[in-house]
């Protein structure tokens, strides 16, 4: 992750250096993909050293879609185990479950009184999620307010997330500024998005014009972090390339989306830049590129899986991490919530 170094800002406070606060979250809706790993989770680990980091499991966001009650906790523990396997360290970072902290829904109600219908109606993700959906519930609509509450409760400076979350984070900024202005205060830090993927997105393997997503109906389009070795090999071998003769291994998202996607995966995982890779692969075959991608992906994923399978069975340990994370989160969340209530004139 060579680009992360640029983001390590430290604020000076009364001659003292303080770490900035980072907050991010993912929904427990299935095992993350290689795209999620490269795009976000991997960077969370890198941020821990230089920021006060808080990472949340957004189970309340997940229920905007109907969930199987027997699977929700299991999915959350799966996700927690993935965080831990990607070396997010509970001794350094605060890791907790959104539904364990009532402050999130409390603040969410309050902030919904400072957010306009028109603002939510413009959200691209809401429009997309409403398509072909019989369950367009109010939670799906007010989802960005809960997200703003997640972020604003922890006096967040930076939110490492994918580009698809940019509009939600812009809204969080707007709400924070609006609230601060109304009450002539600095109750909320105004957060900023850190785009963690160096300007690129990991695309679906057999349709590289769309994003790699764990909800894709075609399982060949994504690599789950828990996929078996055989299926990873098969999926990469079958990834779409093109029929250029002679084969050209060059980054060109428009003309060569498949090759560009493979180069991008390789570049992200090895830290080598694309130009370096293009030179290395000049006069080589698509098969050579794929073999290299397979080798690199397996190297990363096997390490994660080894850790995952040793951690996932220790449910007591996992629950303890969430409990202590929730206690740590409580102090900060309570502090912000009382300031908000005071400002509004609500008294406890
Ligand atoms: N909505 C985010 C997603 O689906 C998850 C999320 C919830 C989040 N709360 C957040 C991300 C706060 C960043 C900050 O990916």
């Amino acid at each position: 992750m060579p680009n992360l170094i640029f983001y390590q800002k430290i604020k000076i406070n009364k001659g003292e250096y303080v770490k900035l606060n980072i907050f991010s979250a993912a929904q427990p809706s299935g095992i993350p993909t290689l795209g999620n790993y490269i795009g976000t989770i991997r960077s969370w680990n890198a941020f821990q050293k230089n920021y006060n980091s808080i990472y949340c499991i957004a189970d309340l966001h997940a229920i905007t879609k109907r969930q199987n009650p027997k699977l929700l906790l299991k999915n959350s523990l799966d996700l927690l185990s993935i965080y831990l396997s990607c070396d997010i360290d509970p001794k350094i970072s605060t890791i907790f479950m959104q539904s364990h902290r009532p402050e999130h829904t409390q603040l969410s109600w309050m902030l919904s009184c400072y957010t306009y219908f028109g603002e939510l109606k413009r959200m691209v993700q809401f429009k997309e999620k409403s398509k072909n959906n019989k369950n367009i519930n109010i939670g799906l609509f007010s989802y960005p307010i809960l997200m703003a509450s997640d972020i604003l409760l922890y006096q967040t400076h930076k939110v490492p997330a994918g580009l698809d979350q940019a509009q939600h984070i812009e809204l969080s900024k707007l709400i924070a500024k609006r609230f601060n202005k109304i009450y002539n205060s600095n109750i909320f830090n105004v957060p900023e998005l850190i785009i963690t993927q160096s300007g690129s997105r990991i695309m679906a393997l057999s349709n590289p014009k769309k994003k790699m997503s764990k909800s894709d109906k075609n399982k060949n389009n994504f690599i789950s972090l828990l996929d078996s070795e055989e299926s990873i090999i098969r999926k990469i071998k079958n990834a779409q390339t093109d029929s250029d003769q002679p084969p050209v291994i060059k980054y060109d998202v428009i003309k060569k989306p498949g090759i560009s996607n493979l180069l991008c995966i390789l570049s992200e995982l090895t830290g080598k830049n694309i130009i370096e890779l293009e030179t290395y692969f000049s006069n080589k075959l698509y098969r050579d590129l794929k073999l290299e991608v397979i080798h690199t992906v397996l190297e990363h994923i096997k390490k994660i899986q080894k850790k995952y399978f040793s951690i996932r069975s220790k449910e007591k340990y996992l629950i303890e991490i969430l409990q202590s994370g929730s206690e740590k989160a409580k102090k900060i969340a309570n502090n912000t919530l009382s300031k908000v209530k005071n400002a509004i004139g609500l008294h406890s």
Side-chain angles (χ1 to χ4, degrees), residues 161-328:
L163 251 188
D164 57 336
Q165 297 301 319
Q167 204 186 17
H168 293 159
I169 290 156
E170 278 310 305
L171 184 68
S172 307
K173 283 165 86 162
L174 185 72
I175 299 173
K177 285 188 197 158
R178 179 177 293 149
F179 194 92
N180 284 349
K181 191 159 175 235
I182 294 174
Y183 297 103
N184 192 20
S185 69
N186 278 321
I187 290 176
F188 294 126
N189 244 318
V190 180
E192 259 170 55
L193 170 68
I194 301 181
I195 295 171
T196 41
Q197 221 162 303
S198 30
S200 56
R201 294 192 304 170
I202 305 302
M203 311 305 276
L205 293 172
S206 33
N207 181 2
K209 295 224 157 166
K210 64 174 190 182
K211 212 182 133 185
M212 181 182 283
S213 159
K214 60 187 165 196
S215 50
D216 203 311
K217 287 200 182 72
N218 178 359
K219 294 215 178 335
N220 291 327
N221 269 336
F222 64 89
I223 292 175
S224 148
L225 292 182
L226 296 186
D227 269 351
S228 68
E229 181 165 345
E230 300 77 63
S231 79
I232 292 173
I233 295 175
R234 183 177 43 78
K235 288 177 184 182
I236 299 176
K237 277 198 171 154
N238 292 335
Q240 196 192 91
T241 53
D242 53 54
S243 47
D244 287 357
Q245 266 316 328
V248 183
I249 300 183
K250 227 177 152 16
Y251 189 84
D252 181 338
V253 220
I254 308 290
K255 291 197 194 120
K256 302 175 75 67
I259 294 297
S260 304
N261 193 30
L262 293 173
L263 280 172
C264 186
I265 294 173
L266 200 55
S267 160
E268 290 284 352
L269 292 179
T270 58
K272 292 186 182 138
N273 68 42
I274 300 269
I275 299 175
E276 206 179 323
L277 292 173
E278 283 175 347
T279 315
Y280 176 78
F281 284 108
S282 60
N283 300 322
K284 290 208 169 68
L285 303 172
Y286 290 168
R287 205 190 49 182
D288 299 319
L289 172 63
K290 285 185 170 177
L291 286 178
E292 197 62 36
V293 174
I294 289 172
H295 171 78
T296 310
V297 168
L298 281 178
E299 204 176 45
H300 276 79
I301 285 196
K302 273 187 173 169
K303 220 193 273 167
I304 296 172
Q305 291 189 356
K306 191 163 172 240
K307 243 184 133 177
Y308 181 90
F309 291 114
S310 79
I311 291 170
R312 182 60 186 90
S313 53
K314 299 179 187 150
E315 293 222 345
K316 202 168 149 253
Y317 166 69
L318 296 174
I319 299 283
E320 274 166 19
I321 289 178
L322 292 177
Q323 280 167 347
S324 90
S326 171
E327 282 308 307
K328 281 201 267 173

Side-chain angles (χ1 to χ4, degrees), residues 23-27 29 36 40 44 56-59 61 98 104 125 129 143 146-151 156 159-162 164-165 168-169 172 193 214:
F23 182 97
S24 199
Q27 291 187 47
S29 53
N36 301 131
T40 40
W44 295 1
C56 170
I57 294 169
D59 55 349
H61 277 109
Q98 193 182 28
H104 291 243
Q125 200 169 78
K129 287 188 177 171
Y143 180 113
L146 181 59
M147 208 171 132
S149 309
D150 296 341
I151 297 169
T156 302
V159 184
D164 57 336
Q165 297 301 319
H168 293 159
I169 290 156
S172 307
L193 170 68
K214 60 187 165 196

Side-chain angles (χ1 to χ4, degrees), residues 97-136:
M97 194 113 101
Q98 193 182 28
S99 65
H100 288 180
R101 292 275 25 109
E103 294 83 356
H104 291 243
T105 41
Q106 288 172 358
L107 183 62
S108 184
W109 171 256
M110 292 170 209
L111 293 185
S112 70
C113 303
Y114 299 79
T115 311
Y116 295 101
F117 183 77
E119 289 168 341
L120 290 180
K121 227 173 68 176
R122 280 196 286 279
M123 292 292 127
V124 175
Q125 200 169 78
F126 171 68
K127 290 188 208 161
E128 274 171 11
K129 287 188 177 171
S130 308
K131 275 187 212 149
N132 306 321
N133 182 356
K134 289 205 185 83
N135 179 14
I136 309 177

